Amino acid sequence: MKDLTMEQIRMLVNTAIQARENAYAPYSHFKVGAAVLGTDGKVYTGCNIENSSFGLTVCAERTAIFKMVSEGCQSFAALAVAGSEKPGESGPCGACRQVISEFCEDINTTPIIVAGTKGEFFMEEAIKLYPRPFMKFEPNDK
Ligand code: THU
């Protein structure tokens, strides 16, 4: 696991919990927040954004990662997500795990922090959450 200080972990967990407040979730009423630490040193936040056409919903993790990329940073050193009260009850969905695998700094070591809304969390390497990503095409023109 990539070394993160306890301060960085706390900061990412608290930032994800805060970002959760901005969720637009009038259909599921399940709010999620995320925070990624870009390899540029900046923190990017995201929340879930639902739509009346349900399939158009975007998860908090992807919102945060896409904001990072659109702001000019193409990899992250850590990601925190907060949805349920207890950390064990939620974690990135399959689609987000694939997107995480694309943009994490190193799939073997980048920590994914799954937090509860009260601040409890567990943390594991991206590879543990998503062991065999789809990687048919190598990114050869970043
Ligand atoms: N959701 C996320 O934002 N992230 C996750 O990790 C799992 C699910 C959102 C999508 C939808 O708005 C709501 O949670 C219920 O599925």
Side-chain angles (χ1 to χ4, degrees):
M1 181 107 58
K2 186 192 161 76
D3 283 342
L4 278 185
T5 64
M6 201 55 206
E7 230 180 332
Q8 282 176 310
I9 296 170
R10 273 275 143 241
M11 175 275 292
L12 287 171
V13 167
N14 290 337
T15 306
I17 291 171
Q18 243 172 43
R20 183 176 171 274
E21 294 303 313
N22 294 332
Y24 177 74
Y27 305 106
S28 74
H29 303 288
F30 184 65
K31 294 182 166 200
V32 186
V36 289
L37 176 60
T39 50
D40 61 355
K42 294 185 193 160
V43 175
Y44 299 88
T45 61
C47 60
N48 54 330
I49 305 168
E50 298 186 344
N51 194 279
S52 176
S53 176
F54 298 164
L56 301 184
T57 292
V58 182
C59 295
E61 298 90 320
R62 275 176 290 155
T63 302
I65 294 169
F66 293 161
K67 280 172 67 184
M68 176 189 82
V69 175
S70 74
E71 296 297 313
C73 177
Q74 296 192 344
S75 70
F76 64 84
L79 175 148
V81 57
S84 320
E85 190 175 320
K86 291 193 188 123
E89 287 170 4
S90 63
C93 76
C96 289
R97 289 176 198 216
Q98 176 67 26
V99 172
I100 285 169
S101 78
E102 182 85 27
F103 293 107
C104 62
E105 188 177 17
D106 178 346
I107 193 164
N108 293 303
T109 60
T110 301
I112 306 300
I113 306 160
V114 181
T117 54
K118 301 238 163 99
E120 275 180 83
F121 67 88
F122 69 85
M123 198 164 73
E124 57 192 6
E125 293 88 352
I127 190 85
K128 297 232 172 87
L129 276 178
Y130 198 54
R132 285 202 276 136
F134 177 74
M135 282 185 170
K136 169 83 177 147
F137 307 102
E138 283 298 314
N140 49 21
D141 190 20
K142 275 203 179 179

